[in-house]
């Protein structure tokens, strides 16, 4: 795991390949080390090199599948304690995983409601974080999680103090337009509001049939094209947040091209 922090690209790739091999062959042994491993992997999710970002995403998907959500999700939640904004952002981006994991993740959270509430209670403060990228990533994670575990969402939100609720609802108002009304209905009835339940059922049906919109499926950018990537980014991040992210990504890609050109000259 320490080699993932190495500044050299080839060392990082070798470390990722080794961890991936262990995830396939010895998931139980690897699970004991996820608390120290996952923050390093999440940091590399935001790496300037596309190959490193892709390898980390593949590894996290593999960890979900091989170690199980009962191991991987708590590990990712714990990694959110990192002081590094890049680690938190990478963690939030990968918390839910690809579309094929949404169904099993929802089943796991439904069977473990206390665990689901704990995840939401960890995400709500991040949705009000002072760092824009963390706020946007937390809201995006909540948008993907609520359809698969709606009851725990409202249970956790209702446990917040009045001030925390007010701040959280304000930051989530764009993502969940009727949140104030829905929360009031839940507090009154202790049931999932009918409109939310219907949306959750429709989401489950779409997930089962593979008809989720691309943004909800979480497909890699290369599979959707540049236009879809821009539209999805603006929708999830907002104009200001998207422009900041796009500028940073362009700078990273330019630096990556310079690194590759320098490597070609060296050879």
């Amino acid at each position: 795991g320490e080699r993932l922090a190495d500044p050299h690209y080839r060392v990082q790739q070798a470390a990722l390949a080794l961890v991936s091999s262990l995830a396939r062959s010895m998931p139980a042994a690897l699970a004991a080390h996820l608390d120290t491993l996952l923050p390093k992997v999440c940091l590399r999710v935001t790496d300037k090199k596309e190959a490193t970002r892709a390898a980390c995403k593949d590894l996290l998907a593999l960890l979900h599948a091989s170690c199980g959500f009962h191991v991987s999700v708590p590990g990712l939640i714990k990694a959110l304690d990192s002081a590094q904004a890049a680690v938190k952002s990478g963690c939030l981006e990968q918390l839910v995983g690809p579309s094929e994991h949404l169904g099993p993740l929802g089943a796991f959270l439904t069977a473990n409601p206390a665990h689901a509430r704990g995840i939401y209670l960890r995400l709500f403060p991040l949705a009000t974080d002072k760092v824009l990228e963390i706020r946007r990533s937390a809201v995006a994670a909540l948008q993907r999680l609520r359809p698969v575990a709606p009851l725990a969402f409202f249970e956790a939100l209702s446990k917040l103090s009045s001030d925390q609720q007010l701040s959280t609802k304000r930051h989530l108002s764009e993502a969940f337009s009727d949140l104030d009304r829905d929360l009031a209905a839940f507090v009154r009835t202790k049931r999932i509001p009918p409109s939310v339940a219907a949306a959750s059922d429709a989401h489950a049906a779409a997930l089962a049939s593979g008809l989720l919109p691309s943004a909800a499926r979480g497909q890699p950018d290369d599979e959707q094209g540049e236009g879809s990537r821009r539209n999805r980014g603006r929708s999830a991040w907002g104009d200001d947040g998207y422009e900041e992210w796009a500028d940073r990504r362009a700078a990273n890609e330019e630096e990556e091209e310079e690194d590759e050109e320098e490597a070609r000259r060296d050879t």
Side-chain angles (χ1 to χ4, degrees):
E2 294 298 328
R3 294 299 183 184
L4 288 172
D6 195 285
H8 297 287
Y9 169 74
R10 292 184 185 279
V11 176
Q12 296 168 17
Q13 289 294 304
L16 287 167
L18 175 60
V19 176
S20 295
S21 177
L22 290 173
R24 293 187 183 92
S25 60
M26 303 174 63
L30 185 62
H33 302 281
L34 289 188
D35 285 352
T36 56
L37 176 65
L38 285 174
K40 297 179 177 64
V41 177
C42 289
L43 177 61
R44 291 298 173 194
V45 166
T46 61
D47 194 86
K48 66 181 182 181
K49 292 187 179 296
E50 174 61 32
T52 299
R53 295 195 298 270
C56 286
K57 292 175 183 178
D58 289 344
L59 172 57
L60 288 168
L62 179 59
L63 289 172
H64 280 311
S66 62
C67 295
F69 291 109
H70 66 289
V71 173
S72 61
V73 171
L76 286 170
I77 292 297
K78 190 168 184 179
L80 289 172
D81 293 333
S82 171
Q84 293 178 279
V87 173
K88 289 183 179 179
S89 180
C91 227
L92 288 165
E93 180 184 332
Q94 296 302 309
L95 178 62
V96 181
S99 61
E100 58 265 27
H101 288 165
L102 280 174
L105 176 60
F108 167 70
L109 294 178
T110 300
N112 298 272
H115 198 96
R117 289 191 294 270
I119 291 174
Y120 283 125
L121 288 172
R122 190 68 184 83
L123 293 182
F124 288 147
L126 295 176
T128 66
D129 195 90
K130 63 181 180 180
V131 178
L132 174 63
E133 185 174 348
I134 293 176
R135 290 201 307 272
R136 300 291 189 184
S137 297
V139 171
L142 287 166
Q143 283 181 297
R144 296 194 70 202
L145 276 175
R146 194 180 84 162
V148 299
L151 179 60
F153 176 91
F154 288 103
E155 289 175 337
L157 188 56
S158 67
K159 289 180 178 293
L160 299 180
S161 68
S162 297
D163 289 344
Q164 290 173 323
Q165 264 191 34
L166 187 62
S167 178
T168 301
K169 287 189 293 185
R170 179 166 57 84
H171 282 87
L172 296 182
S173 60
E174 188 172 328
F176 304 105
S177 58
D178 297 321
L179 184 56
D180 218 5
R181 183 197 66 188
D182 290 338
L183 180 60
F186 172 79
V187 170
R188 186 174 63 254
T189 66
K190 301 302 179 186
R191 295 178 180 273
I192 303 172
S195 60
V196 176
S200 181
D201 290 343
H203 181 277
L207 183 64
S209 61
L211 296 178
L212 277 181
S214 59
R217 289 199 304 268
Q219 291 180 345
D221 293 337
D222 292 345
E223 294 182 14
Q224 299 181 60
E226 184 64 27
S228 295
R229 182 172 66 191
R230 284 197 301 268
N231 292 336
R232 189 180 76 254
R234 290 187 185 281
S235 175
W237 289 61
D239 286 340
D240 293 341
Y242 176 77
E243 294 301 337
E244 178 183 326
W245 173 85
D247 289 343
R248 188 175 68 253
R249 182 180 181 122
N252 285 343
E253 290 177 347
E254 183 177 344
E255 186 176 347
E256 183 176 340
E257 290 174 0
E258 291 173 356
D259 289 345
E260 292 174 352
E261 179 62 28
E262 183 178 345
R264 282 194 294 269
R265 287 199 299 269
D266 290 343
T267 56

